[in-house]
Amino acid sequence: MTQTLKTKVLIIGAGTGGYVAGIRCGQLGLDTVLVDGGDGLGGTCLNVGCIPSKAIIHAAGKFETVAKAAGGGTLGITAAAPAIDLSQTVEWKDGIVRKLNAGVAALLKKAKVKVIKGWAEFADAKTCVVKTDEGDIRITAEHVILATGSEPVELPFLPFGGDVISSTEALSLSEVPKKLVVVGGGYIGLELGIAYRKLGAEVAIVEMADRILPLYDKALTDPVAKWLEKHGVELHLGARAGGFGDGKLSITTKDGEPLQLDADKVLVTVGRRPRTQGWGLENMGVAMAGPFVKIDQRCATSMKNVWAVGDLTGEPMLAHKGSAQGEVVAEILAGHDRIFDPVTIAAVCFTEPEIVSAGLGPNEVAGRDDVIQSVFPFAAIGRALAIEAGEDGGFVRVIASKSDHRILGIQAVGQHVSELSNSFAQMLEMGAVLEDVAGTIHVHPTLGEAFHETSLRALGHAIHI
């Protein structure tokens, strides 16, 4: 027997876009139902993406530190050779995920959001049937928020299964593979490839472009490339992957030569695509923008009272974008006058070293004579040297308008620079000029002093260089 349910707001997907929209709807007094049919509360980010990957990356960094101490000492510290039981590390990571899952569930409960675990299928724009363990539930809603997220792209000649894995499986391996080949040199592949290299795996990366992280400018990616070279990571650039069998991945090199790479595991990270299949999107009558659902500045689709947030709506496919969109939609439904129009959405690569980019980069302003570009190296920052973060070629860069000194873009590469990303985004969002950063007294000793110094340098009077 099918239950029926009517609600003011129906949210499909419990990831960072959907659950945040749900909590905000509840806070605003809107009768809300959230359908969780994917990875669990928190979606990809919390369960099999951002959070668990950073946990594994953190564990890998700790292991590397002990390994350095065992290999001749570091900072005067010596230690015995370390060993790792990856299954225990994964269990620790899973504990973090469970704690966060429970936290999200508690927040939704506090906001009086009804959570239904099951897979929804829409018959029309405002009606869906959710298949649950307890039976089917037919839900009709005044407003529908689509937040179904994204999924890893599968290559037809390297289907997932067995020793061909996606990032999801890479975060739950029971042991460190002896030889790992990563197909795709974007941020997901590099983050995980670097982590497994630190844990002791032999790592090779196969990338079609002629350099790693092709979406970032070369100056930002050079310190990462140097780390890979220094730590014996094989780079096959301008190369194409082929089939996998008998522990060998076939690739075609940049020169067109066939090559076989030994691999215990092949990690395929060639991108993510919006999750548009299997839940009746085609029955909803919404317009598309390529593979994505088309939205306007209010996150409204072409169908009245149907909204979409997060990865489903296009690039950048970042968790914090989805969360911000979820809040905007909830407030619109409560009668507030809101649009989603950020000045910037900062992006971070948790590689070694880390990369941050917000606003315009040098490629976007190439050839323009109306901008100032200023760079300050971490090698001149005391805090960076004290935590061994100043000798990998890291820097902060500021791009500003020559006429009024309005900041247009900020980038950084170096250890721990992800923690500067919010400061960068805030300055851009508030329309700061170089003098605003220069006039802010930055705490000493911190990495953020490099942001201060590069702004001073843009104005022609850096102190420490």
Side-chain angles (χ1 to χ4, degrees), residues 421-445:
S421 58
N422 296 313
S423 175
F424 295 171
Q426 183 181 37
M427 284 296 179
L428 285 162
E429 195 67 40
M430 294 179 71
V433 294
L434 291 169
E435 286 83 355
D436 291 322
V437 184
T440 300
I441 298 175
H442 284 64
V443 174
H444 176 76

Side-chain angles (χ1 to χ4, degrees), residues 376 380-386 440-450 452-453 463-464:
F376 194 89
I381 296 294
R383 171 69 169 161
L385 295 177
T440 300
I441 298 175
H442 284 64
V443 174
H444 176 76
T446 63
L447 296 180
E449 290 178 277
H452 185 231
E453 288 276 8
I463 301 299
H464 291 98

Side-chain angles (χ1 to χ4, degrees), residues 113-263:
V113 175
K114 182 177 178 61
V115 177
I116 297 175
K117 188 159 184 60
W119 193 254
E121 184 154 351
F122 281 84
D124 59 46
K126 308 289 172 30
T127 310
C128 75
V129 173
V130 181
K131 296 189 177 300
T132 75
D133 292 342
E134 286 78 40
D136 293 354
I137 304 174
R138 186 175 184 272
I139 307 174
T140 57
E142 185 180 332
H143 293 273
V144 173
I145 303 175
L146 302 175
T148 55
S150 62
E151 58 196 3
V153 171
E154 186 176 49
L155 294 172
F157 49 86
L158 276 176
F160 294 131
D163 292 326
V164 179
I165 60 175
S166 72
S167 56
T168 299
E169 293 77 36
L171 295 169
S172 294
L173 295 178
S174 59
E175 59 184 16
V176 177
K178 189 169 183 302
K179 294 178 182 290
L180 174 69
V181 177
V182 180
V183 178
Y187 76 96
I188 297 174
L190 281 174
E191 285 181 5
L192 294 174
I194 287 170
Y196 273 105
R197 181 69 193 106
K198 288 181 177 181
L199 291 171
E202 294 177 34
V203 176
I205 294 169
V206 180
E207 166 58 43
M208 283 177 61
D210 60 3
R211 61 185 186 85
I212 56 168
L213 297 167
L215 295 179
Y216 293 89
D217 67 89
K218 188 172 181 296
L220 280 180
T221 61
D222 273 351
V224 180
K226 286 174 185 171
W227 188 96
L228 296 173
E229 182 181 0
K230 180 180 177 181
H231 292 83
V233 176
E234 276 184 49
L235 274 183
H236 298 277
L237 302 174
R240 290 177 178 272
F244 174 72
D246 297 325
K248 292 183 183 297
L249 176 72
S250 300
I251 72 166
T252 304
T253 68
K254 187 177 185 178
D255 300 325
E257 298 295 322
L259 190 64
Q260 300 269 303
L261 300 179
D262 291 333

